Amino acid sequence: MQEARQGNGTRRAPRAAAAAKPQAENSGVSHNPPHKAMHEYESGLQWMQQGKFEKARVVFEKLVNSGPPELLERARVYLVACERNVRDSRLTFASPGEQYDYAVSLLNTGYYEEARDQFEQILSKHDSADYAHYGLAILQSMTGQADDCLDHLAKAIELNARNRIQARSDSDFQDMTDDPRFTELLYPEVS
């Protein structure tokens, strides 16, 4: 049993609430982000929503370097998104073919979502760009999306019959070789 009296030889346990408060104040870490940092975070989000990624990037970079721990991870995620959008907004292409080459380089280095964005941008401006459909077919094959692969490959072949011959020897479609629909698409004369 614990004695409740104060005096020599008897220790009282400190109250939890009283003990926790001074420690938090002395450590410099608060459980709620400071008002100023939260305001900066919200302004960064507003800049992003307005498409002003360079301004948002500056805000989130500051928060990553000196913001409260409560905002650190979210600020890092938004900083990466801003950097990507700033980089992508600076890209200009002389032709759809040049943009296609860039998309293929992204695909070959494993940047699948970025490559998809580029192929889709080409198609949004040039819906009869068979090579963009072909590139998306390869991307879908590499990412295991058989139905989408077949749709884009069929469209690429419809727009340019030479894509059928190209696909027959393209090693990027190796994951599709066991699919009978793929075989029917590439060898309609056999069916």
Side-chain angles (χ1 to χ4, degrees):
M1 291 198 176
Q2 185 180 9
E3 292 184 32
R5 64 183 183 150
Q6 291 184 15
N8 295 341
T10 306
R11 290 181 33 189
R12 265 186 30 192
R15 290 185 0 207
K21 188 173 181 179
Q23 290 174 358
E25 289 174 354
N26 293 336
S27 68
V29 176
S30 65
H31 293 286
N32 295 317
H35 180 69
K36 182 179 179 190
M38 184 55 96
H39 178 71
E40 289 175 354
Y41 176 78
E42 290 170 353
S43 71
L45 290 176
Q46 288 174 347
W47 287 124
M48 282 185 75
Q49 290 171 348
Q50 295 171 9
K52 297 178 181 177
F53 297 104
E54 182 60 37
K55 289 183 178 185
R57 185 190 64 77
V58 171
V59 171
F60 291 123
E61 196 170 71
K62 181 180 176 185
L63 287 171
V64 164
N65 291 329
S66 63
E70 293 85 358
L71 293 177
L72 187 62
E73 192 58 36
R74 287 181 281 173
R76 280 187 185 135
V77 169
Y78 287 125
L79 176 60
V80 169
C82 288
E83 288 172 343
R84 177 178 167 211
N85 280 295
V86 166
R87 182 189 71 233
D88 289 349
S89 67
R90 292 181 186 154
L91 295 175
T92 57
F93 302 100
S95 68
E98 187 177 288
Q99 187 172 9
Y100 173 79
D101 291 341
Y102 176 67
V104 169
S105 72
L106 290 169
L107 180 64
N108 290 337
T109 54
Y111 293 100
Y112 299 131
E113 289 306 311
E114 290 84 350
R116 182 187 324 276
D117 291 344
Q118 295 300 320
F119 289 131
E120 289 175 351
Q121 284 180 24
I122 294 168
L123 289 173
S124 71
K125 297 172 192 164
H126 310 279
D127 61 344
S128 63
D130 64 285
Y131 52 89
H133 282 288
Y134 191 88
L136 278 170
I138 289 173
L139 173 75
Q140 305 298 359
S141 173
M142 293 172 75
T143 58
Q145 298 170 335
D147 292 337
D148 291 335
C149 170
L150 293 169
D151 290 344
H152 283 290
L153 186 56
K155 185 67 174 177
I157 292 169
E158 177 187 318
L159 292 168
N160 184 348
R162 284 183 258 161
N163 286 321
R164 177 177 279 123
I165 305 304
Q166 175 68 29
R168 288 177 180 173
S169 61
D170 196 330
S171 63
D172 289 325
F173 289 116
Q174 69 187 14
D175 294 334
M176 296 295 296
T177 56
D178 293 334
D179 191 321
R181 300 171 299 171
F182 180 73
T183 304
E184 287 176 21
L185 184 60
L186 295 187
Y187 300 97
E189 64 277 1
V190 176
S191 301

